[in-house]
Amino acid sequence: MEFFANIVEILSKYWKVFLITGVSKTLILSIITVTCGAILGLLICLGRISKIKPLKWVLTALVAVIRGTPMLLQLYVFYFLVPKVLPFKVSEFFSIVVGLSINSACYVSEVFRSGIESVDHGQMEAGRCLGLSKRQTMQKIIIPQAIKTILPALGNEFIMIVNDTSLASTFFVGEVMTSYLIVKGITYLTFECLTIVAAIYFVLTLILTKLLGILEKRLKEND
């Protein structure tokens, strides 16, 4: 009973830290990461399937490095590297967004590649027969069909990013796990604070999973 009483007391005093600051920062971080990751992922995918061999080699190597190293290690690299590379001052939040976005982009690029490859090759030939260039065919015919195919996978990536933002707490950027560290440091109630954080992540992912299910159902109905 004391355990649950502690949770109620923590929420009554620090609910703004968890639910307003933490959740809002987590969602903002996730939305920016997924948006930037999707755009960069598409560009990486197009670069890897292009005929420019040096570009293909560089992007293939980038994807291999990102997929072959831990995300936390990558966040450390970008946390220290980005402020040194850019000529203007940036926040820790920006550096973490860059790291998460590039990580997401490399995984999303593989999703885009599988989506593009799933489109019938005859679509490209049909577009060329209609007088469209290869670029126009890719832009107006292939990519729209691929995006419709991979939307559920992009939704899953968003859910994964929501959970992966917990790694950003290492740099105290204000998301849910940072809220946990702050409140735990004040109350010294570790397990109670962890329980609250676990419940928040569970509810967020549950809501997003339900929304993703609705999206998939509507896509099937439109087919």
Side-chain angles (χ1 to χ4, degrees):
M1 292 299 293
E2 182 181 357
F3 173 77
F4 294 105
N6 289 336
I7 290 178
V8 172
E9 184 178 357
I10 291 171
L11 287 174
S12 65
K13 291 182 178 179
Y14 304 104
W15 65 272
K16 289 185 178 180
V17 178
F18 283 112
L19 301 180
I20 296 181
T21 304
V23 172
S24 62
K25 278 288 182 70
T26 294
L27 291 177
I28 290 171
L29 192 59
S30 301
I31 291 170
I32 295 175
T33 296
V34 170
T35 303
C36 295
I39 296 171
L40 291 174
L42 177 59
L43 295 177
I44 291 173
C45 173
L46 294 176
R48 292 186 67 191
I49 64 177
S50 71
K51 295 183 178 180
I52 306 174
K53 288 187 177 181
L55 180 62
K56 290 176 64 175
W57 294 337
V58 170
L59 293 177
T60 300
L62 173 64
V63 171
V65 170
I66 293 297
R67 296 182 69 184
T69 55
M71 183 185 289
L72 184 58
L73 173 62
Q74 297 165 24
L75 293 182
Y76 269 110
V77 171
F78 285 105
Y79 179 80
F80 292 110
L81 184 63
V82 170
K84 293 182 178 180
V85 172
L86 296 179
F88 50 88
K89 187 177 181 180
V90 296
S91 64
E92 291 86 355
F93 186 84
F94 180 85
S95 298
I96 297 304
V97 165
V98 171
L100 288 173
S101 297
I102 292 178
N103 178 280
S104 177
C106 289
Y107 283 93
V108 170
S109 68
E110 291 297 295
V111 176
F112 271 113
R113 188 168 64 86
S114 64
I116 290 174
E117 290 178 351
S118 69
V119 178
D120 189 352
H121 293 292
Q123 298 281 349
M124 176 63 74
E125 297 176 2
R128 300 303 297 274
C129 290
L130 291 173
L132 299 176
S133 66
K134 184 176 180 180
R135 178 181 177 182
Q136 289 174 325
T137 304
M138 184 68 72
Q139 182 178 2
K140 296 181 179 181
I141 298 177
I142 305 298
I143 292 179
Q145 293 183 62
I147 289 177
K148 186 176 180 180
T149 303
I150 66 173
L151 271 178
L154 290 178
N156 287 326
E157 175 68 12
F158 182 53
I159 293 172
M160 290 177 61
I161 287 295
V162 168
N163 290 326
D164 288 342
T165 56
S166 60
L167 295 174
S169 63
T170 306
F171 310 95
F172 285 85
V173 296
E175 35 58 68
V176 173
M177 280 300 292
T178 301
S179 300
Y180 152 74
L181 293 173
I182 292 172
V183 176
K184 184 201 72 170
I186 298 172
T187 62
Y188 297 100
L189 298 173
T190 301
F191 195 64
E192 288 86 344
C193 293
L194 282 175
T195 302
I196 294 171
V197 168
I200 291 173
Y201 277 118
F202 176 77
V203 171
L204 284 176
T205 54
L206 182 63
I207 292 173
L208 292 173
T209 301
K210 292 293 184 183
L211 292 175
L212 180 60
I214 295 172
L215 176 62
E216 290 180 359
K217 185 177 180 181
R218 289 187 176 180
L219 288 175
K220 289 180 181 179
E221 290 175 352
N222 292 332
D223 287 339

